[in-house]
Amino acid sequence: MKNPLQQAVSPLHALLRAVRRPSARKRLAALQRDVGRLLRIDPVFVARDAHAFHAGASRVQPAPWLAGYEQKLEAQGGRIHLQRFCLCCNETTPMLVDMESSWQGRDGARVLNWRERLICDQCGMNNRQRLVAKLVQQAAAEHERARIYLTEQVTPIFQWVRRLPATDVHGSEYLGDQHRGGDVMDGVRHEDAMNLSYPDASFDLIVSNDVLEHIPDPAKALRECSRVLRPGGVVLATFPFQTGSEATVVRATLGAGGLKHLLPAQFHGNPVSAEGSLVFQDFGWDLLATMRQAGFSDAACEVYMNDAFGHLGVPLLVFRLRK
Ligand SMILES: [Zn+2]
């Protein structure tokens, strides 16, 4: 005779045994994929100018428990895993938070870089990468077979997006002046964002992550994006953005006279170049007018923050341009 505890637990054991069968695991994985397609993430608010942004900013304040999180992290050995639901893996996974990519604050203390951490244990994508990948899936679902171009090919986002069903996914990197647009080196395609080799109206969706600030003439790159997009097509773009600045600050120019620095040189990491990428501009709100002049009927800054899906610490900005 089983005791009450054993009686309560044995159906659970039977269920666990059933779920471990390969056929059940397959069904579970398919169910997980379906659930993943049904789940959506939407912006907390959308801004088209500084005024609208500041009016909405109070709705994306970090949770009070995140105050002084750096000290808490240090006390726990510098690494914490937060359990959150990853929209790209469709399950609750541990997400790594540490002080990698942190920067020095005004008081000299290190500041945690929430945008680049919260790395999902399963898919390996960080906070901003998981968000963009999910937004690409959502945008692709509006087409029967979406033609997608990612301006960065050597990234986990590209690897994830290329596995999406019913899509035709293209990617490239800037490999240097010596290459021609469309050249493929070791499986990586070369493209110059200011002079794409793709024909007009080639894509339904263009994805550009942290590239625009490294382009000497961003307006020209935006005109190229508009040219290769189909009517109604969409660009999803991320880049460092100064929400408090109306005007874009030019840090460097590249003209007939060569490279000229107007401000101290600043570099960001680049997966295909050891020396990193020079930052040409610190963008402000006037960029949205530049986007509209480049051929987009709408340019909007979407603001995301979602604790349950592991997008926390700082609001994430994604720019959505519609041709
Ligand atoms: Zn994941």
Side-chain angles (χ1 to χ4, degrees), residues 85-91 93-95 119-125 130 160:
F85 189 89
C86 175
L87 282 171
C88 297
C89 298
N90 302 319
E91 60 184 299
T93 65
M95 295 186 183
I119 299 171
C120 169
D121 248 18
Q122 294 257 47
C123 61
M125 287 194 281
R130 286 183 286 105
W160 191 84

Side-chain angles (χ1 to χ4, degrees), residues 4 9 41 56 104 130 135 157-158 160-161 165 193 205 208 252 262 272 279 291-292 295 302 304:
V9 164
I41 185 160
Q104 194 150 18
R130 286 183 286 105
L135 293 179
I157 303 181
F158 180 80
W160 191 84
V161 167
L205 179 61
S208 169
L262 309 179
V272 294
V279 177
M291 289 166 162
R292 286 189 288 267
E302 298 181 344
Y304 292 85

Side-chain angles (χ1 to χ4, degrees), residues 120-304:
C120 169
D121 248 18
Q122 294 257 47
C123 61
M125 287 194 281
N126 67 30
N127 188 2
R128 105 186 130 79
Q129 293 167 332
R130 286 183 286 105
L131 174 65
V132 170
K134 180 66 186 178
L135 293 179
V136 173
Q137 184 194 45
Q138 290 179 184
E142 291 172 18
H143 302 270
E144 209 158 289
R145 184 176 172 78
R147 254 177 86 85
I148 306 173
Y149 170 48
L150 294 94
T151 60
E152 312 79 52
Q153 193 178 347
V154 186
T155 64
I157 303 181
F158 180 80
Q159 293 307 328
W160 191 84
V161 167
R162 69 189 294 217
R163 291 197 295 267
L164 285 175
T167 54
D168 179 11
V169 180
H170 299 253
S172 70
E173 292 281 345
Y174 182 78
L175 298 176
D177 292 341
Q178 70 275 28
H179 297 288
R180 284 166 52 130
D183 283 358
V184 177
M185 304 293 295
D186 299 325
V188 178
R189 179 185 177 115
H190 167 79
E191 288 292 343
D192 175 353
M194 296 187 292
N195 194 6
L196 297 172
S197 71
Y198 293 105
D200 295 359
S202 295
F203 301 106
D204 300 301
L205 179 61
I206 296 179
V207 187
S208 169
N209 296 127
D210 293 29
V211 163
L212 205 60
E213 74 271 26
H214 302 296
I215 296 174
D217 188 347
K220 197 172 175 195
L222 289 164
R223 286 197 297 275
E224 275 296 84
C225 280
S226 165
R227 179 184 67 77
V228 303
L229 265 185
R230 289 173 180 166
V234 163
V235 175
L236 291 175
T238 61
F239 37 78
F241 188 75
Q242 310 298 322
T243 54
S245 301
E246 200 55 58
T248 292
V249 175
V250 179
R251 305 188 64 90
T253 58
L254 185 65
L259 183 64
K260 205 170 124 192
H261 292 283
L262 309 179
L263 285 169
Q266 210 178 73
F267 293 89
H268 292 162
N270 179 343
V272 294
S273 160
E275 63 211 56
S277 298
L278 180 69
V279 177
F280 280 88
Q281 335 247 341
D282 290 333
F283 295 118
W285 287 101
D286 58 356
L287 179 66
L288 274 68
T290 308
M291 289 166 162
R292 286 189 288 267
Q293 281 154 19
F296 294 95
S297 61
D298 187 31
C301 170
E302 298 181 344
V303 184
Y304 292 85

Side-chain angles (χ1 to χ4, degrees), residues 19-82:
V19 167
R20 280 200 204 103
R21 272 186 230 122
S23 60
R25 268 214 301 265
K26 232 183 207 168
R27 276 207 303 276
L28 204 64
L31 193 71
Q32 222 172 19
R33 272 198 306 275
D34 291 344
V35 168
R37 274 197 285 273
L38 290 175
L39 282 175
R40 273 188 69 86
I41 185 160
D42 289 302
V44 182
F45 71 93
V46 180
R48 287 176 176 79
D49 56 39
H51 178 76
F53 181 86
H54 295 297
S58 61
R59 293 162 60 193
V60 288
Q61 290 304 315
W65 63 271
L66 287 170
Y69 200 79
E70 285 83 353
Q71 285 82 349
K72 189 178 168 191
L73 190 63
E74 201 184 330
Q76 298 206 20
R79 282 167 72 88
I80 287 180
H81 281 93
L82 294 176

